[in-house]
Amino acid sequence: MQGSLVEGQEIAVKRLSKNSVQGTEEFKNEVKLIAMLQNRNLVRFLGCCIEMDEKMLVYEYMEIRSLDSVLFDKARSSLLNWQSRFDIICRIAQGLLYLHQDSRFRTVNQVTVTMLDAR
């Protein structure tokens, strides 16, 4: 879900399923892990909300668009020169490297899980 804070900052809210078997303590541990995985190349985690059986994660809002929507669109592809494209690729690689190697916590992110599921 998309929303905004009182100050006007746009946020993305991930609402966990009420049917989830994850308890409050497990959720709090997950939040701690997410908070420790902050990196300038990852979407910023802003906080969480736990109230009764509602559990939500709050992130900075990033418009959902695929990089291909710019790269392969004839009208918009000229917006990114080769240096900008290279910089984007490097930042993506740095974010993945951080998650898998540089972080104190080893993680398996959704991209990796998706790639493994596709086999």
Side-chain angles (χ1 to χ4, degrees):
M1 293 184 281
Q2 182 182 352
S4 59
L5 299 176
V6 176
E7 312 85 55
Q9 180 183 2
E10 286 190 88
I11 58 169
V13 178
K14 179 180 179 183
R15 183 177 177 194
L16 276 65
S17 169
K18 290 183 181 183
N19 301 328
S20 173
V21 295
Q22 184 179 44
T24 301
E25 286 307 310
E26 291 90 351
F27 178 76
K28 287 179 183 178
N29 287 334
E30 184 176 341
V31 167
K32 288 176 189 173
L33 177 64
I34 293 169
M36 288 188 255
L37 286 173
Q38 296 299 294
N39 181 281
R40 68 187 184 100
N41 295 306
L42 302 174
V43 66
R44 209 167 57 137
F45 175 69
L46 300 175
C48 68
C49 176
I50 303 171
E51 190 166 316
M52 299 186 60
D53 61 345
E54 290 283 350
K55 297 178 187 97
M56 293 181 242
L57 300 171
V58 181
Y59 295 93
E60 70 179 327
Y61 176 76
M62 295 196 67
E63 187 177 338
I64 298 174
R65 283 191 310 166
S66 171
L67 187 54
D68 344 351
S69 69
V70 176
L71 294 176
F72 301 113
D73 181 292
K74 291 188 190 289
R76 294 170 41 188
S77 65
S78 63
L79 298 173
L80 291 176
N81 61 32
W82 285 107
Q83 185 60 50
S84 297
R85 294 169 190 228
F86 181 74
D87 292 343
I88 290 168
I89 291 167
C90 288
R91 288 194 302 263
I92 292 168
Q94 288 167 353
L96 289 171
L97 184 65
Y98 171 76
L99 285 175
H100 293 284
Q101 185 176 338
D102 297 339
S103 169
R104 295 183 330 197
F105 306 97
R106 296 294 184 255
T107 63
V108 177
N109 63 17
Q110 287 182 324
V111 172
T112 304
V113 171
T114 303
M115 288 176 8
L116 291 174
D117 286 345
R119 288 185 179 179

